[in-house]
Amino acid sequence: MSQPKEYRKGPVTLRGRKVPTSTTDQRLLDNSGPSDWVHTDPWRVMRIQSEFVEGFGALSDLGPAVSVFGSARTGPDHPVYELSVAVGEALVEAGYAVITGGGPGTMEGANLGAVRSGGTSVGLGIELPFETGLNPHVNLGINFRYFFARKTMFVKYAQGFIVLPGGYGTLDELFEAVTLVQTGKVTNFPIVLMGAEFWAPLLDWLRSTLVTAGTISEADLGLLEITDDPDEAVRIIREARQ
């Protein structure tokens, strides 16, 4: 039987040397051969889909929530850790669930504060070579393989962000959130920076460099609120939502 000149595999059209020698059904039903197919990009799409389905299913009934970000390297004896605990407590007392990355440091502190106040403490973990799973104060945890699926959950199920001092990961989440607000992808989404001394140099740089260069406007700086008071942070979020 001669090889067809054109082969259609769903929406994909293959010609010439790209025409396969077997059909998709044939490869599915043939249990011989290597198992490399489970690591191919089309199969990864199914894994990605499953992460979204699991995340949506687990969090769909969460209710009002706020995502809290901060460094995984901040120890329990650090003032910022104590601040993160107070943030978790204040959020629960105001009727919010607390969502963190589920790791140690300030994430753990916020989860601890939520649990102490009898609230829902959510941890959205990520597969990393140097972190060891969810902290013990998470009472609703999901582990992700893919950063982008995890990031979607942080935004979709939160009514705002509280950002404590942190490193690259914290800055990544912060600026992604600001971009989503600036471009109108999310609306009425307050972003509160906690730790005025830590964040002030960054805000000064944004004003003196980006605003001066015209790459952002002065109004864009207004997308970020800054405070050292957990109750004030909660008030900002509540008022923005109202």
Side-chain angles (χ1 to χ4, degrees), residues 4-15 17-28 37 40-43:
K5 295 182 179 180
E6 181 174 289
Y7 185 91
R8 294 186 178 181
K9 185 166 62 172
V12 179
T13 298
L14 303 171
R15 294 181 179 137
R17 290 182 300 172
K18 293 294 185 181
V19 174
T21 58
S22 61
T23 67
T24 301
D25 283 340
Q26 183 180 349
R27 292 189 295 276
L28 173 65
W37 62 275
T40 61
D41 285 342
W43 182 250

Side-chain angles (χ1 to χ4, degrees), residues 107-174:
M107 294 176 282
E108 176 184 304
N111 288 131
L112 171 59
V115 169
R116 278 184 180 176
S117 294
T120 300
S121 173
V122 180
L124 306 181
I126 185 69
E127 181 182 317
L128 292 175
F130 48 82
E131 289 193 13
T132 56
L134 299 174
N135 70 67
H137 307 297
V138 169
N139 54 32
L140 173 56
I142 311 169
N143 280 302
F144 292 87
R145 287 188 179 93
Y146 300 100
F147 267 113
F148 50 85
R150 179 184 185 234
K151 286 181 174 182
T152 299
M153 305 304 155
F154 280 131
V155 177
K156 179 174 175 56
Y157 292 102
Q159 296 190 357
F161 280 2
I162 292 179
V163 188
L164 291 106
Y168 285 148
T170 302
L171 293 174
D172 174 52
E173 298 290 353
L174 167 61

Side-chain angles (χ1 to χ4, degrees), residues 33-199:
S35 60
D36 294 346
W37 62 275
V38 301
H39 304 296
T40 61
D41 285 342
W43 182 250
R44 287 190 182 99
V45 171
M46 301 301 293
R47 286 181 174 169
I48 292 167
Q49 177 179 303
S50 72
E51 293 210 340
F52 281 106
V53 171
E54 290 291 343
F56 292 157
L59 301 175
S60 59
D61 296 324
L62 183 62
V66 172
S67 291
V68 180
F69 298 99
S71 175
R73 304 183 184 189
T74 304
D77 56 345
H78 196 285
V80 172
Y81 185 97
E82 296 176 4
L83 180 61
S84 69
V85 174
V87 167
E89 291 173 341
L91 285 170
V92 169
E93 289 166 5
Y96 294 102
V98 173
I99 304 174
T100 78
T106 49
M107 294 176 282
E108 176 184 304
N111 288 131
L112 171 59
V115 169
R116 278 184 180 176
S117 294
T120 300
S121 173
V122 180
L124 306 181
I126 185 69
E127 181 182 317
L128 292 175
F130 48 82
E131 289 193 13
T132 56
L134 299 174
N135 70 67
H137 307 297
V138 169
N139 54 32
L140 173 56
I142 311 169
N143 280 302
F144 292 87
R145 287 188 179 93
Y146 300 100
F147 267 113
F148 50 85
R150 179 184 185 234
K151 286 181 174 182
T152 299
M153 305 304 155
F154 280 131
V155 177
K156 179 174 175 56
Y157 292 102
Q159 296 190 357
F161 280 2
I162 292 179
V163 188
L164 291 106
Y168 285 148
T170 302
L171 293 174
D172 174 52
E173 298 290 353
L174 167 61
F175 282 107
E176 182 162 355
V178 175
T179 302
L180 291 173
V181 176
Q182 183 198 46
T183 56
K185 297 298 184 182
V186 293
T187 56
N188 299 324
F189 196 87
I191 304 168
V192 183
L193 305 179
M194 294 207 65
E197 184 178 356
F198 181 89
W199 294 111

